[in-house]
Amino acid sequence: MRQYLLKRLMSGLIVLVGVSLFSFALIHLIPGDPVRIMLGEKATKERVEQLREHMGLNKPLVVQYVNYATGVLKGDLGTSLKTSRPVSMEIAQRFPATLKMALSGIVVAIVAGVIMGILAAKYKDTYVDYAIMSLATLGMSLPSFWLGLLVIMVFAVNLGWFPVAGGTGFKDLIMPAVTLGVLLSTTISRLTRSGMVEVLSNDYIRTARAKGMGEGIVLFRHAFRNVMIPVVAVVGLQMAALLGGAVIVEQVFNWPGIGTLAIEAISSRDFPMIQGIILFMGAIYVIVNICVDLLYAVLDPRIDYSTSKGGM
């Protein structure tokens, strides 16, 4: 287990080095003078040279990357050109809001998706199955911004149950969490249904029912446990994406998270902030993927990392 964990940490470190190279190269891939683009055409020559010197862009590329990587290892992601504050501080300030919305959305998605998937599998080829799968297909085809605006119109503008946008309290969280959860639950429900249909046809399920076990115990304890791994994999990937910022949903509800910060950075051509957010999102993906891999062994005892050469 320890050896597998070390391998995963090493592979994650390699991925992060690749992400750091990409984020570093971002500023050099821009056609023209990146400093002039950041400051605008009206910037004076002195101001351009001052910023180029401040960002170290007049040094060789290798030296620039070594300085950048050294700063990252020390937790220094640079300084925002818009706010003149450390990028790491800006990200740390916005991350709790993103974490709160992502966790809430995932909870809604898991509860709704699993229940819908199990019901569709239990009542396979009936009107219940057709109705749930039709809803799932409809949900997958809905753009997140359209669903968010629809939720605002119905529950905030017409019914007045929730504030329209802008806060970070519990009532402000419900509409963005439901919007995210509904969209993610469609994938989870389809995965759960397909896995449950196969599992429910196995002999051990018929044996459990023949012994007089309750249908709830059969479905959740014996059947659903064997379809959890693909569901966990999807939830893990979605969780990593949401922790990096659900850009569109955050914009629709004016939620002050990482996604909104990324949009603001792109709009103001704040390249140090964009580089920092890309690196932060890469780190989130690596950490969540390692956690999901380790969770597999907890959910399925047949997976033994301690005896494998390739990790499984």
Side-chain angles (χ1 to χ4, degrees):
M1 185 66 166
R2 183 181 297 176
Q3 187 178 3
Y4 172 77
L5 183 59
L6 287 174
K7 285 181 180 177
R8 293 292 288 118
L9 289 175
M10 285 300 297
S11 62
L13 188 61
I14 294 172
V15 172
L16 285 179
V17 170
V19 174
S20 72
L21 280 169
F22 173 76
S23 63
F24 168 77
L26 179 68
I27 196 168
H28 298 282
L29 294 175
I30 303 168
D33 186 349
V35 179
R36 179 67 68 179
I37 292 173
M38 282 185 266
L39 293 177
E41 292 300 324
K42 294 182 180 179
T44 62
K45 187 177 179 181
E46 290 76 17
R47 176 64 181 134
V48 171
E49 291 301 324
Q50 185 182 13
L51 182 58
R52 183 176 284 113
E53 176 71 23
H54 173 72
M55 297 182 68
L57 295 177
N58 50 0
K59 297 177 181 176
L61 276 178
V62 176
V63 176
Q64 289 182 42
Y65 179 72
V66 170
N67 291 338
Y68 174 70
T70 304
V72 169
L73 290 175
K74 294 178 180 177
D76 179 13
L77 299 178
T79 303
S80 168
L81 298 179
K82 180 182 177 184
T83 64
S84 300
R85 297 178 64 198
V87 170
S88 56
M89 189 179 293
E90 294 280 354
I91 292 176
Q93 189 175 357
R94 298 292 189 99
F95 184 63
T98 292
L99 180 64
K100 188 193 298 183
M101 190 180 73
L103 290 176
S104 304
I106 285 292
V107 169
V108 173
I110 291 174
V111 172
V114 168
I115 291 176
M116 288 168 62
I118 290 177
L119 285 176
K122 177 175 171 53
Y123 299 103
K124 179 175 174 285
D125 295 334
T126 65
Y127 288 116
V128 175
D129 182 19
Y130 298 147
I132 291 176
M133 287 301 99
S134 298
L135 281 175
T137 304
L138 178 64
M140 292 180 76
S141 63
L142 287 178
S144 57
F145 73 89
W146 188 86
L147 181 60
L149 293 174
L150 182 66
V151 168
I152 289 175
M153 285 298 297
V154 174
F155 296 102
V157 177
N158 293 332
L159 298 176
W161 290 356
F162 305 105
V164 175
T168 57
F170 177 72
K171 291 188 73 174
D172 303 289
L173 176 64
I174 293 176
M175 289 198 299
V178 169
T179 303
L180 277 180
V182 167
L183 295 173
L184 297 180
S185 68
T186 57
T187 304
I188 294 175
S189 64
R190 294 178 73 86
L191 265 178
T192 303
R193 180 196 178 276
S194 61
M196 288 290 288
V197 166
E198 183 179 347
V199 170
L200 288 176
S201 63
N202 289 335
D203 291 339
Y204 73 92
I205 296 295
R206 282 192 286 271
T207 301
R209 283 173 171 158
K211 287 182 176 178
M213 291 184 179
E215 192 63 14
I217 295 176
V218 173
L219 290 175
F220 286 96
R221 182 183 296 177
H222 296 283
F224 179 63
R225 187 171 183 178
N226 289 306
V227 300
M228 284 182 69
I229 286 187
V231 174
V232 169
V234 170
V235 169
L237 289 174
Q238 297 291 351
M239 188 70 193
L242 293 182
L243 288 177
V247 178
I248 295 175
V249 175
E250 286 188 5
Q251 279 294 105
V252 169
F253 292 96
N254 194 23
W255 189 259
I258 299 291
T260 304
L261 182 65
I263 293 293
E264 292 171 356
I266 293 170
S267 302
S268 59
R269 294 172 290 190
D270 190 349
F271 283 91
M273 182 65 74
I274 298 171
Q275 288 176 312
I277 291 174
I278 291 173
L279 196 58
F280 177 76
M281 291 176 67
I284 289 289
Y285 266 96
V286 169
I287 293 170
V288 171
N289 273 298
I290 292 175
C291 291
V292 169
D293 282 352
L294 296 179
L295 191 58
Y296 288 163
V298 177
L299 296 175
D300 190 346
R302 293 171 298 181
I303 298 176
D304 185 4
Y305 294 128
S306 61
T307 58
S308 65
K309 294 180 180 178
M312 290 188 67

